[in-house]
Amino acid sequence: MLPNSVIIGAQKAGTTALKLALKAHPDVDAPRGECPFFEDPYYDSDDLGPLEALFAGSTASVRVIKRPDYLAHPECAERIHRHLLDVSLVAVLRHPVERAVSAYFHFVARGMLPLRGLDNGMRRLLQGDERPAAQDVLNYGYYHRQLTAYTNVFPRERLHVIRYEELRFSFGAALHDVQVFLGLDPERMGSLPPLSANESMYALPRLSVHRLRTRIRSDRDTARGHTHPRTAMRAPARWASAALHGVDRRALARLDSSKPILAPDLRAELLERYRDDTDQLEVWLGVDLSDWKR
């Protein structure tokens, strides 16, 4: 059994909350975590076994996988089309500068970027850091370019686009629209499930502890700049990870009171970087994105 629905992105735009809410519907099957099957180096056109295994024995009418990196990689659009011709695609888009800021902290927390404050770190990225994670922070915000890669191979009606603001401020209505798009009956869901999302962290001491814990618990994909949880850990590693988790929860979590504000000159530079793409996206979607350009 293969998936028939894919949440393709964008990264740091609320896709986890959306998938968990969809999973609460009785007609939806959505495996835990993310599915990187269509990305390199995981993709194997001759072996769909890992993808089929996700839904072994499933009787759900809607089978959902999520991978927010898919949106930014045009080769994934072609691969999804090759194997899941009748799939439904959902994309959530966030203000490109706000998304870049959240992505920066995401990669710092996982040890993919150096431990630096927001302004210092972002300035270095804009000056030409060649690390894969640095490129992802900046390049994942060109939404029109990325969506076009999908509509080049899929009919436009197979793609449902939501803005992050809709999820944040009108979650029930946004979820209802996604359910209808996927062919679900929203009335079968009952009450709206509680919102859930990946935790963000900003304070450097807490980021430092999380980086160390990630190093203990994960294997690093140096080619793509990502980390993947280890399937097994020795007892000392488990104990060290648990101790660090305790320090984080009991002492450091209180440090993350608010997200740092990006320096005005850096924000202006990022806005200008995304301006042409956002202008094109505004026309393509037929919605007002003026708040994304200031």
Side-chain angles (χ1 to χ4, degrees):
M1 188 73 71
L2 292 171
N4 56 16
S5 306
V6 183
I7 301 174
I8 58 174
Q11 186 195 66
K12 308 308 294 180
T15 57
T16 296
L18 177 60
K19 191 196 83 166
L20 292 176
L22 285 172
K23 189 173 182 177
H25 194 287
D27 297 325
V28 171
D29 191 353
R32 183 178 179 182
E34 296 185 0
C35 173
F37 176 83
F38 293 103
E39 285 182 65
D40 293 328
Y42 314 102
Y43 178 66
D44 183 349
S45 61
D46 297 322
D47 182 13
L48 300 184
L51 195 60
E52 294 172 326
L54 295 174
F55 298 99
S58 176
T59 59
S61 61
V62 174
R63 300 175 299 279
V64 182
I65 59 173
K66 176 185 86 83
R67 181 65 168 178
D69 297 63
Y70 284 163
L71 179 60
H73 295 282
E75 69 275 12
C76 293
E78 298 169 358
R79 293 167 182 176
I80 293 170
H81 182 265
R82 185 179 308 157
H83 300 291
L84 308 177
L85 186 59
D86 296 325
V87 74
S88 298
L89 305 168
V90 179
V92 188
L93 309 181
R94 184 178 183 181
H95 188 302
V97 176
E98 297 301 328
R99 195 219 63 81
V101 169
S102 287
Y104 171 77
F105 285 109
H106 172 85
F107 285 119
V108 169
R110 283 153 183 79
M112 299 293 100
L113 289 175
L115 185 65
R116 299 188 178 107
L118 175 59
D119 290 347
N120 185 11
M122 191 65 74
R123 199 177 304 278
R124 289 171 182 262
L125 264 60
L126 288 166
Q127 290 170 352
D129 192 324
E130 294 297 326
R131 274 172 286 217
Q135 295 302 303
D136 288 352
V137 167
L138 299 177
N139 292 339
Y140 277 27
Y142 294 104
Y143 305 133
H144 179 262
R145 176 197 305 171
Q146 296 160 7
L147 290 168
T148 300
Y150 277 83
T151 55
N152 283 341
V153 293
F154 285 101
R156 174 66 178 86
E157 58 268 21
R158 291 210 168 271
L159 177 62
H160 183 74
V161 180
I162 317 164
R163 284 177 294 154
Y164 176 79
E165 293 87 348
E166 297 175 73
L167 281 186
R168 184 174 180 185
F169 300 113
S170 305
F171 188 80
L175 178 61
H176 177 279
D177 290 346
V178 174
Q179 290 174 332
V180 171
F181 170 72
L182 296 179
L184 295 165
D185 179 1
E187 298 299 322
R188 280 179 49 77
M189 183 151 176
S191 59
L192 189 68
L195 281 177
S196 179
N198 292 323
E199 181 186 17
S200 296
M201 56 187 70
Y202 311 110
L204 293 185
R206 192 176 185 203
L207 288 167
S208 180
V209 168
H210 193 81
R211 287 161 65 91
L212 181 55
R213 189 164 182 253
T214 299
R215 187 181 305 169
I216 293 170
R217 294 167 54 88
S218 307
D219 293 313
R220 180 174 297 188
D221 177 353
T222 54
R224 289 296 309 277
H226 291 184
T227 59
H228 309 285
R230 288 181 179 149
T231 55
M233 288 193 298
R234 294 180 181 273
R238 291 198 305 271
W239 299 335
S241 176
L244 289 169
H245 182 67
V247 169
D248 177 59
R249 288 300 174 193
R250 293 181 177 85
L252 300 179
R254 69 189 68 178
L255 298 175
D256 277 334
S257 57
S258 61
K259 181 189 294 186
I261 297 175
L262 191 63
D265 64 313
L266 295 173
R267 185 175 182 85
E269 185 172 349
L270 281 168
L271 285 171
E272 191 58 35
R273 176 182 285 255
Y274 296 123
R275 186 173 302 279
D276 288 347
D277 188 86
T278 302
D279 285 342
Q280 295 176 74
L281 179 67
E282 188 173 46
V283 173
W284 192 79
L285 289 176
V287 299
D288 180 9
L289 295 177
S290 57
D291 56 329
W292 284 19
K293 294 183 281 187
R294 62 173 179 262

